[in-house]
Amino acid sequence: MSSQASQALMPEVGDLVVATVTRVEDYGAYVKLDEYSGIEGLVHISEISTTWVRNIREHARQGQKLVLKVLRVSSQRNQIDLSLRRVTGREKSEKMLEWKKERKAEAILKSAADKLKKTEEDAEDIRKILLDKFGGLYSPLEEALDEGPEVLVKGGLSSEWAQAIAEVTKTKIRLERSKVRGTVSVTCHKPGGVEIIKQALMSAKKIRKPRGSEVKIYSIGSPKYRIEVEAPSFEAAEKTLSLAVEEVLGTIKKAGGEGRKLG
């Protein structure tokens, strides 16, 4: 379920939700949906576990956070039936991580509002803009951390808010970075070949690359060289590495040398 969906009155069938157990009975556990203003739902004992449940309290306890799947929604009766047993381990991990990130983003917005001496209503307006333009709160903060507050301005925020949010984000979020490597063989037997090879390798650092990306070149024994790329995401790192390798091989061949990718 996206953060935009969380703004709806009720979740949809099939959504994954984070909920807090409020009461446990012999027939099931009552929960409040954290992302839906505390709307109440029920996890029937038959939806607690894939195995026989001898004591429901061994699987759910008051105050516990659970990731649940929505089975049925009745807006007329304001009733939501949920399942614990139908949530896979991977779904649970991914949903909890998403939920924690969104909570961190909420805290960052509050800190930015305090920094600017803005009201809760002002912060709520900013929250709505981010949800509308980016589909969530955490992802635009990551983008601002990587590309600067201009990303938020383009999304509809004022420069004042964008700058404050970017400054607070720097102290609260550390970008996860990906690193990839590739190896090339480069030779040139023309006069000045050593310098030609050097220039070809250095051309990899001059390519256009995503902000926050870095290209490094290492010799691992002539004529082999390693190109290492570190970037904000695996996709960006892979793309940058591909462009860097192409640039090196193209440059050396234009200069009369030879080059090929080894891995």
Side-chain angles (χ1 to χ4, degrees):
M1 182 193 65
S2 69
S3 293
Q4 279 182 311
S6 69
Q7 302 309 299
L9 181 61
M10 302 280 272
E12 297 180 358
V13 172
D15 279 350
L16 292 176
V17 297
V18 176
T20 303
V21 178
T22 57
R23 190 168 87 254
V24 180
E25 303 290 351
D26 291 340
Y27 55 84
Y30 287 94
V31 299
K32 283 190 176 181
L33 279 59
D34 292 22
E35 301 158 290
Y36 291 86
S37 302
I39 292 176
E40 191 175 67
L42 173 67
V43 186
H44 190 268
I45 190 170
S46 63
E47 291 295 335
I48 288 290
S49 175
T50 54
T51 59
W52 181 59
V53 178
R54 183 175 182 178
N55 183 356
I56 189 174
R57 290 168 180 79
E58 293 178 354
H59 300 269
R61 62 184 183 278
Q62 188 172 349
Q64 183 179 7
K65 294 284 185 188
L66 298 174
V67 174
L68 305 168
K69 182 165 288 187
V70 179
L71 298 181
R72 287 172 292 276
V73 177
S74 175
S75 55
Q76 290 81 9
R77 292 185 295 170
N78 200 34
Q79 179 177 323
I80 301 175
D81 294 326
L82 304 147
S83 174
L84 176 61
R85 71 181 181 87
R86 303 190 196 206
V87 178
T88 67
R90 180 174 181 177
E91 287 176 329
K92 176 183 176 181
S93 298
E94 291 179 350
K95 180 61 183 179
M96 283 303 298
L97 178 59
E98 174 194 336
W99 182 78
K100 288 177 180 178
K101 284 182 174 181
E102 291 298 297
R103 299 293 74 70
K104 178 178 283 189
E106 294 271 11
I108 288 174
L109 290 185
K110 184 179 185 306
S111 295
D114 292 341
K115 184 182 182 71
L116 296 174
K117 293 181 170 55
K118 300 290 186 179
T119 65
E120 290 185 9
E121 289 75 16
D122 293 330
E124 181 60 23
D125 289 340
I126 296 301
R127 182 176 180 276
K128 289 178 180 178
I129 292 174
L130 292 177
L131 289 172
D132 181 56
K133 297 295 183 180
F134 297 94
L137 300 179
Y138 193 83
S139 60
L141 301 191
E142 281 190 316
E143 289 184 40
L145 189 58
D146 181 35
E147 302 178 31
E150 297 80 13
V151 172
L152 302 178
V153 174
K154 290 179 181 178
L157 270 61
S158 67
S159 297
E160 180 187 38
W161 266 104
Q163 189 63 42
I165 291 173
E167 289 176 0
V168 175
T169 300
K170 286 181 181 179
T171 67
K172 302 293 184 180
I173 296 178
R174 180 181 177 183
L175 280 179
E176 297 178 3
R177 299 180 64 79
S178 296
K179 186 181 292 186
V180 295
R181 301 181 181 89
T183 304
V184 295
S185 172
V186 182
T187 59
C188 184
H189 302 295
K190 295 177 62 177
V194 173
E195 185 61 26
I196 291 174
I197 291 173
K198 180 180 178 181
Q199 292 301 317
L201 293 170
M202 289 301 101
S203 69
K205 294 190 174 185
K206 299 177 182 178
I207 62 171
R208 292 188 62 183
K209 50 187 178 291
R211 185 169 179 170
S213 300
E214 185 178 6
V215 177
K216 296 180 180 179
I217 313 291
Y218 302 96
S219 172
I220 53 177
S222 181
K224 297 179 182 179
Y225 299 87
R226 177 167 293 146
I227 301 176
E228 182 178 280
V229 175
E230 189 172 330
S233 69
F234 178 75
E235 292 77 12
E238 284 277 271
K239 182 178 180 179
T240 302
L241 176 61
S242 178
L243 292 173
V245 170
E246 288 179 10
E247 184 66 25
V248 170
L249 299 184
T251 300
I252 193 66
K253 288 177 182 178
K254 286 180 182 178
E258 296 180 353
R260 61 192 177 94
K261 183 179 179 181
L262 300 179

